[in-house]
Amino acid sequence: DQQVKQNSPSLSVQEGRISILNCDYTNSMFDYFLWYKKYPAEGPTFLISISSIKDKNEDGRFTVFLNKSAKHLSLHIVPSQPGDSAVYFCAASDLLYGGSQGNLIFGKGTKLSVKP
Amino acid sequence: NAGVTQTPKFQVLKTGQSMTLQCAQDMNHEYMSWYRQDPGMGLRLIHYSVGAGITDQGEVPNGYNVSRSTTEDFPLRLLSAAPSQTSVYFCASSPFFWGADGYTFGSGTRLTVV
């Protein structure tokens, strides 16, 4: 029973266009959501987060949208650059409710390829 | 540089051998955890610790032991390695209330059990 789902294993976009990565979750107790980026042979690095009290958070080219009623979040990258090519993991936690002591539950990841 | 340091980066073990994966952080973080990454499986939590002397199991704890005698170190022990433990292992740390920044991950240990 996967609590965090990334149903697209891969995504390919052209440089300069928008990349949209999607994530669905099943646990209604999740109250904090994060995106991590991972390059080969490196550890995941934090990208952007959003709490359940918000529906949008922006950081430069990266925006995360949260739709609580649909239990869905998405990461938008505009404009996409070749250096954005990486695996993107969606993660969720019930930080405020504390049921899992704030442990992060990860999706399986989406491999983004941005072509020049 | 401050961060999470994992050693070794690569390791090959024979079935039945034991070893310890090391993890150290110099950020005075209370929380530390171990994840494994397998193809098509994402990152799965093995064990975690919310402070020195306190550890607990995650999603996939079988075959692994941990201890936390200091704030800085959180080693992961494989007592009798099995081929199913072939994976990439990541250690992570964060302040106890990690707020908006999530975890800091190490660069990983790639383990192969033959």
Side-chain angles (χ1 to χ4, degrees), chain A:
Chain A
D1 56 338
Q2 215 181 335
Q3 298 187 67
V4 178
K5 302 177 184 179
Q6 293 178 257
N7 292 321
S8 297
S10 63
L11 174 68
S12 182
V13 299
Q14 209 64 33
E15 181 179 6
R17 306 295 289 270
I18 184 171
S19 295
I20 300 176
L21 293 89
N22 294 304
C23 178
D24 297 294
Y25 61 96
T26 58
N27 188 342
S28 58
M29 301 294 278
F30 285 151
D31 50 31
Y32 224 97
F33 305 89
L34 303 90
W35 286 93
Y36 281 81
K37 180 165 76 171
K38 185 183 179 305
Y39 293 117
E42 295 184 10
T45 55
F46 170 76
L47 188 58
I48 192 170
S49 64
I50 188 168
S51 75
S52 57
I53 63 172
K54 294 186 174 183
D55 54 19
K56 177 183 174 182
N57 189 27
E58 280 184 85
D59 185 0
R61 297 186 296 113
F62 303 92
T63 302
V64 56
F65 295 91
L66 175 63
N67 182 333
K68 289 189 292 293
S69 61
K71 294 191 178 66
H72 177 82
L73 63 155
S74 61
L75 174 68
H76 292 211
I77 306 174
V78 184
S80 302
Q81 300 173 354
D84 296 329
S85 298
V87 176
Y88 289 79
F89 289 101
C90 173
S93 174
D94 56 354
L95 179 67
L96 295 178
Y97 289 108
S100 64
Q101 305 219 21
N103 290 322
L104 289 179
I105 309 299
F106 285 84
K108 294 184 177 181
T110 296
K111 184 176 182 179
L112 174 66
S113 299
V114 180
K115 306 207 179 296

